[in-house]
Amino acid sequence: VLVARRRAWADLGLAATLGTAILMILPYSNARITGDWRHTPWSVYADTYLPFDKLGFGLDSTPPRRELPRDMVLLGEVFKPMHANYGPSALPDALSDRMWYSSLELWRGPRLVLAVTALVGLTLVGGEVAFALASTLALFALYLAYAHSPYWTMYYREVMPVVALLSALGLWRLFTLRHSGRFNVTAPVTASAALATGLLVLLYLPVAARGVEKWHDQRISEQGYLRDFQRGVASIPDLRAIVYVRYAPGHYIHMSLIANDPALEESHAWLVYDRGADNARLQRIAPGRVPYLYDELQSTIVRYPGLQSAAAR
């Protein structure tokens, strides 16, 4: 509408050309990585290991193209029922649950009062905010094509500032009672609105501090687990090694130790799954690498007993 009104067709053409050039990076990247411009690395990965994890209703029972290690098998056992039970009849509950838990991210506990101010903020919605809210609802609606837990609110984080804006508008409305109609950015901020905002900030600082502390403790625990393993790998004296990772029975399936450098030949240590007797096959491919075993249950890295001699046979 603005382009037609201003007759800015050259600007539209420039923007469309630049946008298209940026989007063309995707098929180019796909072609270089997967060999097919139509297939992203993620889609190839999903088809190979997690064929059930896709858009749509019901469970795709197509088997993975490769034999899966135990932790990925357990991952399927957790997520397959979610897809199997997801159909058109589940959409109303899915939408309400996802919106509810996303709302809790903003308004849980003492922040509940901000949910009330958000309702008040709806009275100040103009064209710009209405567009942002429509985009927010569109994101929730489009994600209904994908089965996921309502607790996975990270899918909706990018639209949470829109909802937070409603709380801010509501505060402004409540403490600027003489104002009527749409929100005006040039309107003066009253002393009562400023005081209320300051008091709310002071009230929520302890809540925010506890949240940050909890998040920090969790990150420290996760990083400590990875750091201890990485230190053990770095301490291996051999210039070239293979570390066979044997997970404990209770291994947390969302925390993987299998990660490798793109330049495998120059890498100090390959990190691979412990596949028991099948390890000899990999060892024969790389006879110059010394085999080590990481036992998660014991938190130890030791020379893999007898593997090199088994690979030589």
Side-chain angles (χ1 to χ4, degrees):
V1 172
L2 289 175
V3 167
R5 184 182 301 162
R6 299 171 181 173
R7 299 186 180 278
W9 303 110
D11 294 343
L12 177 62
L14 178 61
T17 301
L18 181 60
T20 301
I22 293 173
L23 290 176
M24 288 302 295
I25 294 174
L26 292 174
Y28 173 75
S29 172
N30 294 342
R32 292 299 303 271
I33 297 173
T34 68
D36 190 328
W37 66 271
R38 298 165 298 179
H39 295 155
T40 66
W42 161 249
S43 65
V44 173
Y45 174 86
D47 290 342
T48 303
Y49 299 102
L50 308 169
F52 63 85
D53 192 20
K54 59 178 58 177
L55 298 177
F57 301 128
L59 176 65
D60 185 341
S61 58
T62 303
R65 296 175 182 174
R66 296 183 182 178
E67 181 183 355
L68 301 182
R70 182 175 179 274
D71 59 330
M72 295 193 74
V73 172
L74 293 176
L75 189 74
E77 292 177 359
V78 171
F79 293 113
K80 282 182 180 179
M82 189 185 304
H83 288 270
N85 298 325
Y86 193 69
S89 61
L91 294 182
D93 287 343
L95 179 60
S96 61
D97 288 346
R98 293 172 185 184
M99 296 184 74
W100 169 253
Y101 285 105
S102 294
S103 299
L104 289 181
E105 290 282 314
L106 286 171
W107 300 319
R108 189 189 303 271
R111 299 190 299 268
L112 181 61
V113 66
L114 294 177
V116 178
T117 64
L119 294 176
V120 177
L122 288 172
T123 63
L124 295 175
V125 170
E128 298 88 348
V129 179
F131 178 81
L133 286 174
S135 301
T136 299
L137 293 175
L139 182 66
F140 278 95
L142 290 171
Y143 255 114
L144 289 174
Y146 181 63
H148 72 76
S149 167
Y151 303 108
W152 296 351
T153 58
M154 73 287 289
Y155 294 143
Y156 311 101
R157 292 276 170 86
E158 62 264 38
V159 297
M160 287 187 179
V162 177
V163 190
L165 173 64
L166 289 179
S167 294
L169 290 176
L171 275 174
W172 187 90
R173 176 67 156 163
L174 286 172
F175 292 96
T176 313
L177 299 177
R178 288 175 296 176
H179 177 77
S180 60
R182 292 178 55 186
F183 174 67
N184 183 359
V185 295
T186 63
V189 177
T190 63
S192 57
L195 179 61
T197 302
L199 290 175
L200 281 173
V201 170
L202 291 176
L203 174 64
Y204 295 139
L205 274 178
V207 179
R210 288 195 297 272
V212 170
E213 183 180 10
K214 181 179 179 180
W215 176 88
H216 184 261
D217 291 343
Q218 185 177 352
R219 296 288 87 77
I220 289 296
S221 175
E222 293 175 355
Q223 292 172 9
Y225 168 76
L226 294 173
R227 195 177 295 114
D228 290 344
F229 172 71
Q230 291 164 356
R231 283 200 197 102
V233 172
S235 68
I236 293 175
D238 302 279
L239 295 178
R240 294 173 178 267
I242 301 179
V243 180
Y244 295 87
V245 177
R246 179 179 296 170
Y247 284 138
H251 171 74
Y252 180 53
I253 59 175
H254 298 293
M255 183 74 71
S256 176
L257 297 176
I258 309 300
N260 288 286
D261 299 325
L264 285 176
E265 287 299 325
E266 291 77 28
S267 178
H268 168 225
W270 295 355
L271 309 179
V272 302
Y273 285 101
D274 176 34
R275 293 180 176 271
D278 197 35
N279 292 341
R281 187 159 55 98
L282 175 59
Q283 202 62 43
R284 282 193 292 269
I285 297 174
R289 289 188 172 267
V290 180
Y292 282 81
L293 173 67
Y294 172 72
D295 190 325
E296 184 184 34
L297 192 61
Q298 306 295 330
S299 297
T300 57
I301 296 181
V302 297
R303 286 284 293 269
Y304 205 120
L307 183 55
Q308 275 186 313
S309 57
R313 290 196 295 268

